[in-house]
């Protein structure tokens, strides 16, 4: 394919992404489902060249920034609090699912080497970070369930990648040492964490010295790839390195970023992640044609592999449910014997955790990276794609109904000690204290009376609002509705002045930014 044609194809793909996202919004479907289905249909459009995904390139391009985004947004305090549960899912569930799938595959195909069966298990066992977030952003979950799923999606790729590499090596050499595999896993994870700490600490020092907003934003965007590539170069876990770097950057960004930098950087990063997430699902769909052709066509695939693929997909789901419910049962037993730290999530929470195991780009990339001579490669590739399709199209579209059926409620222990309005009241009191100290000169003369009155009035109002939130909410909404109307009127007048040539572009942009900030503040306050 000519470079110009490739660029045209990329532009066409992004146009298709916009159209599919719009269609998903209109039809009430998860965008991931529309993108995957749309990409699969586009793959068979006559005249469109076959899309052959380079697995290594896909992982390097898409995985680091998407992992970084997840680590940047995750609640670090809750991550630490639920680390045992997250590790159970990210390591224990992956190992258990890999073993169950390997046994099932060997029962279905006794002639297939155990290493090839284990490779399939490693490929399909880790739920995907991109797919999980695409599903979770459309539903509301209790904080504990949310953090378990988010934390699992950040860390389980490391488990799956290590298992996959050992399975491929075992297939090539004919030997496998379980103790060596476990030892190497911890070495890779620890090494990745060290690399992430070094890169994250270096970024914090660099940001404080760069000074220029755009340089800082550029350095932050590159941070994901730097940590991932450095980890892989040093033969440790690039996934753990990226997640660790993201957690450090997330913790320090509140103190090293200015307000303008945070707004500009967040806007750029949000659009970039949106396009990358959408491109991942579209590329998965577009790769269907190559996958089917490798399997001998639709008819051959369905006739020879249909039932085994369905059996493995069902086994995959059952294995995850078995691990989640088994773990919750163990926690219940610990609680029954008096453990104060044992807090089961209940049958409803376990059902949601079990049903949320959606697979995606990592599964496809690992399957495509198998050597051409690998035993059972075509079956593994087709089955991996079937697992992605099945979990995204079935579990992704029905997770909302499962959550509604489960009737989950937020435990009191997961609630923050202060509400948002109480936190605002604490901030207002602290700000008032500063203004009171600075409102008088050295001789005790009041030099900022209006400023002091403004902050006193604001602190009093916010404290009163925090004490009677339910009483003020209707009035607050009506208040900010008027503010938004006033902002819209001001914007129309500003544009009229500019179109009439009465103000220049610089004045337009400065006043428009003020209106934008006022509008965003009103929308945030109203919500």
């Amino acid at each position: 394919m000519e470079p110009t044609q490739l660029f045209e194809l990329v532009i066409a793909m992004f146009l298709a992404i916009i159209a599919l996202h719009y269609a998903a919004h209109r039809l009430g479907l998860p965008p991931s489902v529309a993108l995957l289905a749309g990409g699969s249909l586009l793959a068979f459009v006559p005249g469109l060249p076959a899309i052959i995904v380079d697995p290594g390139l896909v992982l390097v391009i898409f995985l680091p920034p998407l992992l970084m985004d997840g680590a940047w947004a995750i609640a670090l305090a809750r991550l630490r609090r639920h680390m045992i549960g997250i590790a159970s899912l990210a390591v224990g569930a992956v190992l258990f699912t890999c073993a169950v799938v390997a046994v099932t595959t060997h029962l279905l195909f006794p002639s297939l080497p155990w290493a090839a069966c284990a490779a399939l298990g490693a490929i399909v066992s880790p739920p995907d970070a991109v797919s999980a977030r695409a599903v979770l952003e459309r539903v509301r979950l209790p904080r504990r369930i949310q953090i378990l799923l988010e934390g699992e999606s950040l860390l389980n790729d490391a488990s799956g990648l290590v298992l996959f590499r050992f399975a491929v090596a075992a297939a090539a050499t004919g030997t496998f040492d379980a103790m060596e595999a476990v030892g190497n896993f911890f070495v890779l994870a620890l090494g990745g964490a060290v690399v992430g700490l070094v890169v994250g600490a270096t970024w914090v020092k660099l940001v404080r010295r760069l000074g220029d907003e755009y340089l800082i934003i550029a350095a932050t965007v590159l941070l994901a790839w730097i940590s991932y590539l450095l980890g892989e170069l040093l033969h440790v876990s690039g996934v753990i390195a990226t997640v660790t770097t993201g957690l450090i950057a997330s913790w320090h960004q509140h103190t090293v970023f200015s307000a303008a930098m945070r707004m500009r950087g967040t806007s750029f990063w949000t659009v970039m992640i949106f396009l990358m997430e959408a491109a991942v699902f579209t590329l998965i769909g577009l790769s269907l044609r190559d996958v089917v052709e490798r399997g001998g066509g639709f008819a051959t695939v369905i006739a020879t592999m249909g039932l085994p693929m369905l059996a493995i997909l069902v086994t995959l789901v059952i294995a995850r449910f078995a691990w989640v419910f088994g773990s919750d049962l163990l926690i219940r037993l610990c609680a029954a014997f008096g453990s104060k730290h044992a807090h089961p999530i209940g049958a409803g929470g376990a059902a949601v955790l079990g049903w949320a195991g959606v697979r995606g780009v990592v599964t496809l990339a690992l399957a495509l990276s198998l050597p051409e001579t690998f035993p059972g490669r075509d079956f593994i590739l087709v089955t991996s794609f079937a697992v992605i399709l099945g979990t995204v199209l079935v579990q992704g579209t029905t997770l909302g109904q499962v959550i509604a059926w489960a009737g989950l409620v937020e435990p009191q222990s997961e609630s923050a000690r202060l509400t948002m309005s109480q936190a605002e009241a604490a901030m207002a009191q602290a700000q008032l204290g500063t203004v009171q100290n600075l409102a008088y000169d050295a001789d005790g003369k009041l030099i900022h009376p209006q400023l002091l009155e403004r902050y006193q009035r604001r602190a009093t109002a916010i404290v009163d609002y925090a004490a009677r939130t339910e009483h003020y909410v209707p009035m607050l909404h009506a208040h900010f509705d008027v503010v938004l109307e006033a902002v819209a009127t001001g914007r129309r007048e500003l544009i009229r002045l500019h179109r009439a040539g009465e103000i220049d572009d610089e004045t337009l942009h400065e006043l428009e930014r003020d209106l934008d900030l006022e509008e965003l503040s009103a929308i945030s306050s109203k919500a």
Side-chain angles (χ1 to χ4, degrees), residues 33 36-37 40 284-285 288 298 313 358-360 382-396:
V33 173
L36 186 58
S40 300
I284 291 174
L288 175 62
F298 272 115
L313 177 58
V358 183
R359 273 64 176 181
V382 173
T383 302
S384 300
F385 200 95
V387 165
I388 297 171
L389 281 176
T391 55
V392 171
L393 296 180
V394 178
Q395 292 173 259

Side-chain angles (χ1 to χ4, degrees), residues 24-243:
H25 175 72
R26 297 287 294 178
L27 297 173
L29 293 172
S32 56
V33 173
L35 292 165
L36 186 58
S40 300
L41 292 175
L42 289 173
F44 293 93
V45 171
L48 188 71
I51 305 298
I52 301 176
V53 177
D54 185 312
L57 186 61
V58 166
L59 282 181
V60 169
I61 290 176
F62 292 102
L63 188 59
L66 296 173
L67 287 172
M68 176 71 72
D69 186 60
W72 194 281
I74 203 166
L76 191 56
R78 289 201 293 270
L79 180 70
R80 289 197 300 263
R81 190 185 314 153
H82 298 295
M83 199 63 220
I84 295 177
I86 291 169
S88 170
L89 291 169
V91 180
V94 170
L95 289 171
F96 178 73
T97 304
C98 177
V100 172
V101 170
V103 171
T104 302
T105 306
H106 195 70
L107 291 174
L108 292 170
F109 300 97
S111 60
L112 198 63
W114 274 106
C117 300
L120 175 58
I123 289 169
V124 300
S125 57
D128 184 62
V130 184
S131 301
R133 183 169 50 192
V135 171
L136 292 177
E137 66 185 9
R138 292 178 54 86
V139 298
R140 290 187 63 84
L141 286 170
R143 290 182 176 89
R144 183 181 179 187
I145 305 297
Q146 184 89 17
I147 199 67
L148 287 173
L149 289 171
E150 289 178 353
E152 176 197 15
S153 68
L154 284 178
L155 301 176
N156 61 10
D157 288 337
S159 306
L161 286 167
V162 171
L163 285 173
F164 174 76
R165 288 169 181 169
F166 274 104
V168 172
T173 62
T175 59
F176 177 76
D177 188 331
M179 293 304 298
E180 180 187 1
V182 172
N184 283 342
F185 173 78
F186 284 105
V187 170
L188 291 171
L190 181 61
V194 171
V195 170
L197 285 169
V198 172
V199 174
T202 303
W203 174 82
V204 172
K205 291 185 177 180
L206 181 65
V207 165
R208 285 174 172 159
R209 295 188 177 185
L210 280 177
D212 185 272
E213 291 180 4
Y214 296 105
L215 290 178
I216 293 172
I217 292 171
T220 305
V221 170
L222 294 175
L223 191 63
W225 286 289
I226 291 171
S227 54
Y228 183 86
L229 292 172
L230 184 59
E232 294 297 310
L233 181 66
L234 297 176
H235 303 291
V236 297
S237 174
V239 171
I240 300 297
T242 306
V243 171

Side-chain angles (χ1 to χ4, degrees), residues 353-382:
L353 277 181
W355 196 243
V358 183
R359 273 64 176 181
V361 64
V362 173
T363 293
L364 182 64
L366 291 181
L368 289 170
S369 68
L370 285 171
E372 292 287 343
T373 58
F374 195 82
R377 184 181 189 275
D378 289 342
F379 173 73
I380 292 174
L381 184 57
V382 173

Side-chain angles (χ1 to χ4, degrees), residues 292-429:
V292 171
E293 288 175 353
R294 287 173 181 267
F298 272 115
T300 302
V301 167
I302 298 300
T304 61
M305 306 180 190
L307 288 178
M309 286 191 302
L310 181 61
I312 289 173
L313 177 58
V314 172
T315 299
L316 191 72
V317 175
I318 292 174
R320 181 173 175 84
F321 270 97
W323 180 269
V324 172
F325 274 91
S327 300
D328 196 54
L329 178 60
L330 181 61
I331 295 172
R332 283 181 179 277
L333 290 175
C334 292
F337 282 102
S339 174
K340 296 181 179 179
H341 301 288
H343 304 288
I345 58 177
V352 171
L353 277 181
W355 196 243
V358 183
R359 273 64 176 181
V361 64
V362 173
T363 293
L364 182 64
L366 291 181
L368 289 170
S369 68
L370 285 171
E372 292 287 343
T373 58
F374 195 82
R377 184 181 189 275
D378 289 342
F379 173 73
I380 292 174
L381 184 57
V382 173
T383 302
S384 300
F385 200 95
V387 165
I388 297 171
L389 281 176
T391 55
V392 171
L393 296 180
V394 178
Q395 292 173 259
T397 55
T398 58
L399 182 60
Q401 288 86 344
V402 173
I403 293 171
W405 167 82
L408 303 179
V409 295
E410 186 76 73
Q412 188 63 35
S413 59
E414 292 295 323
S415 300
R417 286 180 293 177
L418 297 180
T419 64
M420 184 178 295
S421 56
Q422 289 170 332
E424 288 177 334
M427 287 169 51
Q429 293 282 27

